[in-house]
Structures are given as C-alpha cells and as structure tokens.
Amino acid sequence: MPARPVETTVARLSTYLSTQVRRLVLSRAGRSGIDLTQLDRVPDSLSWPLRRDGVAPGERLGQLREREPVAKLTSFLGMNVWVVTGQAEVREVLADTTSYSNDIRPFVGRSGSTTDGDIGGLGFTDPPEHTRLRKLLTPEFTMRRLERLRPRIGDIVAGQLDEMERRGASGEPVDLVPSFAFPVPFLVICDLLGLPDEDRDTFRQLGSARFDVTTGGTGVFGAVSGSRSFLLEATRRQRSEPGPGLIGQIIREHGDEINDFDLAGLADGVFTGGLETSASMLALGTAVLLDHRDDYRAVADSPEVVERTVEELLRFLSVVQIAFPRFPKRDLEVAGRLVRKGDVVICHLPGANRDGRLGEALDDFDAGRPAVPHLAFGHGFHRCVGAELARMELRAAFPALARRFPDLTVADERLDYREMSIVFGVQSLPVHLRAGAALR
Ligand code: HEM
C-alpha cells in the first residue's frame, strides 16, 4: 500500500525530535490548528547528530565529543538545545531524578492523561505519575515472567526462519526485514500483551503504516491514533475477560488502580518502545555479523559468545540515537556548562557508547573485546523496561539464524540506511540464503 502523503512527510521529516521541537516553537508562537506535518524541515544545525555514515555516527560527532562532551548544539528560535555525547556526562543527566522533566505537555499546551493525543507513554511522563505507571509494568518484565515467553520466542524465531525458507525457495534473494527482523518482535510483543490471534491480524494491518519499516513508517515515537484506539478497544474487552498476557495480568492484579486509557497507553508504549528498536537491532545486527563472518559462525554454537556478541552489537549499533529529551527545571551545571531552565538537553547514546575514555577503538565492532559498559537502553529511572526481553529475543534470533543459514550473505552491499531518525535502521536487507544462490 503506498504511504499517504502525510505519513510520507512525517517519515521524511521524521522523528519525534523534529516534530516535538516544531510543536514547542509553534506553541511559543501561540499558533494553533496547523497541520504540523506540513511544516518545513528542521534545520541541519539541529538534526545533524542524527545522521550516520554507514552504521557509524558521523566523524563530526566524535570530534564534538572530544572537544565538548556537553555542547550547545544550536539555539533554535530562542531555545538553547544542548547535546551530551560523553558517557559519564550522559549518565549524569539521565541519573538525575530531580533537575529535569521529561514532560513535553506543558510546552504544547496539554495536560493530563498519558494517552493524550500522540503525546504519552512513560518516556514523556514525570514522577509521581511515571513511578505509579512504571510500577504496574515492571512486574511483567521480571526474569520469572519473561521466562514464560522463552519457548514462544523460540517458536516464533523458528516460524520466521521457515518463512524465509519459503520466500527463498526459488533461489531469489529474500528481504530479511519483513520476513524476520520485523515479525519476530511483532509476534513476541503480541504474546507479551496477550492479544488473541484475530486481534493481532487486525492490529498488524492497522499498524502497518506505523511499523512497516520497509516503507519508512512513522517511527518508534510517532503515533497513529488508529492503533491506539485499537489497543483501547482490546483493553476494554479484556476488562470483562482478562486475557493471558500483560494487559490481562495488570487488569487482574491492579485493575482498580488504572483506567482503560492509561492501560492502553502503557500497552501502546510497550509496542512503540519494543518493536522498531528490536527490529532494527535484528536487521542491522545481521548485516554487521555477515560483515564479520567468524562472529556470525561463532554465535551458532556458544551461548557465552552469543551474550557478548549481542552486548557488543547493542553498543556498536546503539539504534536508539537519543534518550527522551530532558527539560531542565532550574538553571544547573552539567560538566561545567551552565544549562538553563527553558533549554532542552539531548543525550546522544551512540556518541556516549563510543566514548574513547571507556576503551580502545570503540568505533570498531569487536565481539571479543572486554565488555564495555553501554547505554543502548538508556540509564536511570527511564531506562528501558524491555531491555531483558530485547536481549532474550536477540540471543534467540542470531544463533538460530546462523544455524539455519550458515552461508547467508547480503545480496546487495549498498544498504538503504535511514537517513535521519530517532531509531536508526535499514529499510530492507536482501540476503541470499545459501552459498552459490547468487550464481544460479
Ligand atoms: C534492542 C531493543 C531496545 C532498545 C535499544 C531500547 C532502548 C530504549 C531507550 C534508549 C529508552 C529510553 C531511555 C531514556 O530516555 O532514559 C527506552 C525506553 C523504553 N523502552 Fe526500550 N528499547 C528496546 C526494546 C524495548 C522492548 C522490547 C520494550 C517492551 C516490550 C521496550 C519498552 C520501553 C519502554 C516502555 C520505555 C520507556 C521507559 C520509561 O520511560 O520509564 N523497549 N528503550
């Protein structure tokens, strides 16, 4: 299905950051009723840190980090935008529970529920509301609860490998994104939420524009109200008949503490937080491993190798490029720089994960290196809720792929990386499943 113009515009303008900054500016300018997706591009002075050179952040970013790990990026219509690229400095900002707000609503003239329009989810919510909502979610992500998903994850991975076999039966290249990288996390999250089969088909269709990474969907922090209303409907239905997954469990255990809107908002946050991120890790991770064939082969056999390879991929790729923006609630010093109330602070995760103060040659992928502490899942009280689930998926998917298709190769070396997005990714990854397939 061709993307509708507005979606295309959003995809191009992309990203949460650009949209939100524009909203902020607009709200300051006191305008309303404007279709924000029709507005001009964000200036390069603001967006350049999101651009990559291949999978690596551009050289300019590394230079900036060396010079100024906390730097004023630009002043955009009266608002100072800071970018933090040093790992210690990013930790300092993200660990600070009192100096910043994540709440974007005051800037855009809204308030209230986390499901207010397209603004919402834990990432944009401050304590005490954040603490209350996150407490409802975290029990669903304990290792004990996640263990229940492990066999299902194995089945889902195996099912998608079969699907790849089917699609590649003719010997033609198979696109790994729609056949593997996207459906694995999609189906896992459907299981996690406890969406019945008939619901997930509808949801997949409804969400296709939003999540179809092959057509450059609106991105992880974007929003399409259709899928949210769908989750609201699913939540309402489960209120009378709680299902087996996260939605049903929260209703059973804490039903009187949360309304349908907030619960659907949490479910939606799990979807937006967990789908495109994991899909990008699977696609880009495969591309990196195929470029390092020894590592690709090695993940087939040893769980220990799998663990450290996945951590290195998470660090090296850092697919979530920036943490949720932090808005200083008062003037404060960050690593000697004066940041003022009214500014916005952007923590750059790939930058922080390649900080030379942590180790040697961090611009290279090296699965054998001693573990480097990384911030691919963020840090502090907004740190990714789904980190262990994501690890579980990646640790299941890469070895299964390497065992099933030991001779997998990339069919087209010119990969179509996303130009500028909060979640870095690749639009498609055509692969040959078997040795010699390219010659047939
Ligand atoms: C490899 C995959 C993933 C990566 C790299 C990733 C990364 C991140 C990052 C960087 C943050 C923001 C931290 C901050 O601003 O301080 C975040 C937040 C979040 N993630 Fe993930 N994520 C992944 C997978 C998942 C999965 C599988 C789920 C759920 C099923 C999930 C759910 C969330 C939620 C709900 C938040 C908001 C947490 C809060 O604000 O308290 N993520 N993630």
Side-chain angles (χ1 to χ4, degrees):
M1 190 181 71
R4 285 185 287 126
V6 167
E7 284 155 5
T8 315
T9 315
V10 174
R12 188 157 27 80
L13 292 178
S14 79
T15 74
Y16 154 79
L17 176 65
S18 51
T19 308
Q20 298 302 349
V21 169
R22 237 176 282 116
R23 280 169 183 258
L24 180 61
V25 169
L26 270 186
S27 72
R28 287 193 165 187
R31 297 167 68 179
S32 62
I34 293 170
D35 182 353
L36 295 157
T37 61
Q38 308 290 330
L39 294 173
D40 292 330
R41 287 183 74 90
V42 175
D44 189 60
S45 59
L46 187 63
S47 62
W48 72 262
L50 295 177
R51 293 225 166 76
R52 294 210 183 185
D53 180 8
V55 295
E59 217 177 302
R60 188 172 163 196
L61 195 97
Q63 290 163 354
L64 180 67
R65 184 186 54 229
E66 300 295 297
R67 231 178 30 242
E68 288 179 274
V70 178
K72 190 160 120 189
L73 185 61
T74 187
S75 186
F76 189 52
L77 292 171
M79 182 179 62
N80 291 326
V81 181
W82 295 85
V83 64
V84 186
T85 49
Q87 180 158 132
E89 293 78 6
V90 166
R91 281 182 193 272
E92 182 184 329
V93 172
L94 298 186
D96 189 329
T97 52
T98 54
S99 307
Y100 302 94
S101 167
N102 275 31
D103 190 354
I104 201 132
R105 296 174 199 94
F107 295 97
V108 296
R110 300 190 190 194
S111 62
S113 147
T114 51
T115 52
D116 183 8
D118 65 350
I119 305 164
L122 287 176
F124 300 117
T125 306
D126 285 341
E129 187 65 354
H130 174 266
T131 321
R132 183 180 81 80
L133 293 173
R134 187 161 165 135
K135 248 194 214 146
L136 296 178
L137 210 50
T138 41
E140 305 306 318
F141 288 89
T142 57
M143 280 320 286
R144 196 172 53 83
R145 293 251 170 107
L146 291 180
E147 266 318 313
R148 293 187 311 198
L149 279 177
R150 194 186 293 278
R152 268 299 290 155
I153 294 176
D155 291 348
I156 288 168
V157 167
Q160 293 310 132
L161 292 173
D162 293 345
E163 174 67 18
M164 284 177 70
E165 295 263 18
R166 271 193 295 279
R167 293 191 188 195
S170 63
E172 289 298 305
V174 174
D175 187 349
L176 184 124
V177 172
S179 57
F180 189 72
F182 171 78
V184 167
F186 177 83
L187 293 171
V188 169
I189 295 177
C190 284
D191 267 24
L192 175 80
L193 293 179
L195 293 181
D197 284 349
E198 59 278 14
D199 274 5
R200 44 185 89 177
D201 283 346
T202 322
F203 194 57
R204 194 204 286 260
Q205 280 157 22
L206 255 180
S208 65
R210 179 181 192 177
F211 296 127
D212 185 355
V213 284
T214 63
T215 55
T218 53
V220 71
F221 294 115
V224 172
S225 55
S227 56
R228 185 165 292 186
S229 345
F230 176 78
L231 280 171
L232 184 58
E233 224 11 79
T235 303
R236 282 191 179 131
R237 261 184 279 127
Q238 293 210 22
R239 189 63 81 169
S240 49
E241 220 178 297
L246 182 151
I247 296 175
Q249 195 72 18
I250 294 182
I251 289 173
R252 267 191 296 274
E253 291 175 9
H254 304 279
D256 49 352
E257 295 164 43
I258 186 162
N259 64 33
D260 288 346
F261 272 104
D262 282 350
L263 182 47
L266 279 185
D268 194 52
V270 164
F271 242 102
T272 49
L275 183 56
E276 199 173 353
T277 48
S278 309
S280 283
M281 273 305 299
L282 284 171
L284 290 169
T286 303
V288 171
L289 290 177
L290 293 180
D291 223 24
H292 296 77
R293 290 218 74 90
D294 289 348
D295 295 316
Y296 182 64
R297 279 193 209 101
V299 293
D301 311 315
S302 153
E304 195 257 317
V305 170
V306 173
E307 246 175 66
R308 66 179 149 77
T309 305
V310 164
E311 289 314 298
E312 176 67 354
L313 285 172
L314 285 163
R315 180 199 72 79
F316 179 70
L317 291 168
S318 298
V319 293
V320 176
Q321 306 225 65
I322 57 172
F324 292 101
R326 265 56 176 184
F327 301 96
K329 291 197 271 192
R330 56 181 174 83
D331 296 355
L332 77 154
E333 254 192 36
V334 186
R337 304 298 306 263
L338 179 65
V339 174
R340 291 191 183 278
K341 183 176 176 184
D343 295 353
V344 57
V345 179
I346 306 291
C347 290
H348 197 280
L349 303 176
N353 286 340
R354 289 163 179 248
D355 187 335
R357 289 172 290 179
L358 299 170
E360 295 284 304
L362 294 186
D363 282 324
D364 299 335
F365 173 77
D366 177 1
R369 75 165 82 242
V372 180
H374 68 75
L375 301 175
F377 292 116
H379 179 67
F381 67 115
H382 282 283
R383 183 178 180 276
C384 180
V385 161
E388 286 317 310
L389 176 61
R391 286 188 164 119
M392 224 179 201
E393 288 174 38
L394 300 174
R395 289 172 185 170
F398 291 125
L401 185 71
R403 280 196 292 270
R404 178 77 73 98
F405 303 116
D407 298 316
L408 197 75
T409 47
V410 174
D412 184 348
E413 294 301 331
R414 291 154 308 167
L415 292 183
D416 190 8
Y417 297 115
R418 293 217 194 131
E419 205 189 303
M420 189 187 82
S421 55
I422 297 291
V423 181
F424 179 64
V426 64
Q427 307 294 83
S428 66
L429 182 64
V431 287
H432 292 297
L433 301 185
R434 316 237 178 260
L439 306 173
R440 251 179 248 162

